[in-house]
């Protein structure tokens, strides 16, 4: 389960550096057919330009939680996220903002790993704390994002992101996706001129 959440976070990350190597390696560790299919499509479809056109400023599926919050102030949101991350010594190696969906899903994967490790060490209290934290974090931070993001990505011709959105939606335990007007598909050609993501080999 930890590997599934980590793979999901990678699918929402900027596809550069060793990204492809990591996606390929994690895809071999998960059993969920939808995530494995998403990873396969990601290795074929993902480019830097495509990523920016979808998740960047003005894109049809913003990558940050703040974009989906109607009432919470940004400062309060960042403070709450920082408190969660610091409490569990979570230090993601990314340039993305703390409220980016890639960071938040990586945090759930991290908590699942801590929960499993504590259970293996017969530390039931630590295991319970990690499990409770992951449930609370999903409830407070991922439920609102998951349904709306999945609804936007569902209209995409980018298969890997449509599958990733659906996988997030299922794991966040949210109601059926709201109906949204199609702001996609995003052009498959790279209009930004950024070119393909680095292979990382």
């Amino acid at each position: 389960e930890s590997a599934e959440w980590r793979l999901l976070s990678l699918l929402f990350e900027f596809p550069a550096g060793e990204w492809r190597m990591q996606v390929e390696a994690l895809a071999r560790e998960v059993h969920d057919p939808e995530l494995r299919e998403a990873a396969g499509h990601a290795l074929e479809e993902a480019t830097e330009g495509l990523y920016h056109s979808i998740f960047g400023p003005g894109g049809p599926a913003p990558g940050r939680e703040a974009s989906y919050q109607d009432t919470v102030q940004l400062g309060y949101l960042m403070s709450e996220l920082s408190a969660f991350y610091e409490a569990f010594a979570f230090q993601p190696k990314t340039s993305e903002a703390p409220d980016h969906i890639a960071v938040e899903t990586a945090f759930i994967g991290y908590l699942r790993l801590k929960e499993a490790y504590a259970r293996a060490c017969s530390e039931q209290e630590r295991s319970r704390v990690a499990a409770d934290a992951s449930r609370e974090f999903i409830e407070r931070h991922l439920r609102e994002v998951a349904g709306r993001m999945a609804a936007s990505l569902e209209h995409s011709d980018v298969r890997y992101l449509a599958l990733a959105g659906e996988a997030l939606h299922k794991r966040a335990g949210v109601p059926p996706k709201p109906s949204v007007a199609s702001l996609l598909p995003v052009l498959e050609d790279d209009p930004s001129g950024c070119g393909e993501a680095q292979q990382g080999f």
Side-chain angles (χ1 to χ4, degrees):
E1 190 174 355
S2 175
E4 289 178 358
W5 277 99
R6 177 57 184 140
L7 177 57
L8 187 57
S9 76
L10 279 172
L11 294 175
F12 291 121
E13 277 188 16
F14 184 68
E18 298 182 352
W19 182 85
R20 280 179 165 74
M21 290 178 58
Q22 294 173 355
V23 168
E24 191 172 16
L26 270 174
R28 293 193 294 264
E29 301 297 324
V30 303
H31 302 291
D32 184 292
E34 189 174 60
L35 277 177
R36 291 174 69 97
E37 183 183 355
H41 286 292
L43 295 173
E44 298 175 357
E45 297 176 324
T47 66
E48 296 177 15
L50 184 65
Y51 180 91
H52 285 306
S53 69
I54 294 177
F55 294 118
R64 296 184 60 180
E65 181 186 348
S67 300
Y68 299 89
Q69 295 284 0
D70 298 324
T71 58
V72 178
Q73 293 185 355
L74 182 60
Y76 178 82
L77 173 62
M78 292 303 181
S79 177
E80 186 174 271
L81 290 172
S82 295
F84 262 110
Y85 298 161
E86 290 173 8
F88 291 92
F90 177 64
Q91 299 177 331
K93 296 180 180 179
T94 178
S95 59
E96 299 291 2
D99 68 325
H100 195 279
I101 191 64
V103 179
E104 294 187 346
T105 49
F107 181 56
I108 298 298
Y110 177 79
L111 288 176
R112 290 286 195 258
L113 185 62
K114 289 182 76 72
E115 178 187 351
Y117 181 76
R119 191 177 301 165
C121 295
S122 299
E123 297 180 351
Q124 298 305 319
E125 179 61 20
R126 287 180 180 271
S127 177
R128 184 191 62 78
V129 168
D132 289 348
S134 65
R135 282 192 293 270
E136 181 181 357
F137 191 87
I138 289 172
E139 175 69 27
R140 295 175 67 91
H141 297 285
L142 287 177
R143 282 176 62 90
E144 179 69 20
V145 176
R148 294 168 66 181
M149 178 177 284
S152 294
L153 293 175
E154 186 177 29
H155 297 288
S156 175
D157 280 341
V158 185
R159 183 64 177 156
Y160 90 92
L161 289 177
L163 288 168
E166 183 62 28
L168 173 64
H169 181 257
K170 289 179 180 178
R171 282 164 176 75
V174 295
K177 296 186 293 295
S179 177
V180 299
S182 176
L183 299 175
L184 301 171
V186 174
L187 295 176
E188 293 184 7
D189 293 332
D190 182 7
S192 69
C194 292
E196 296 291 329
Q198 298 176 13
Q199 295 294 321
F201 293 109

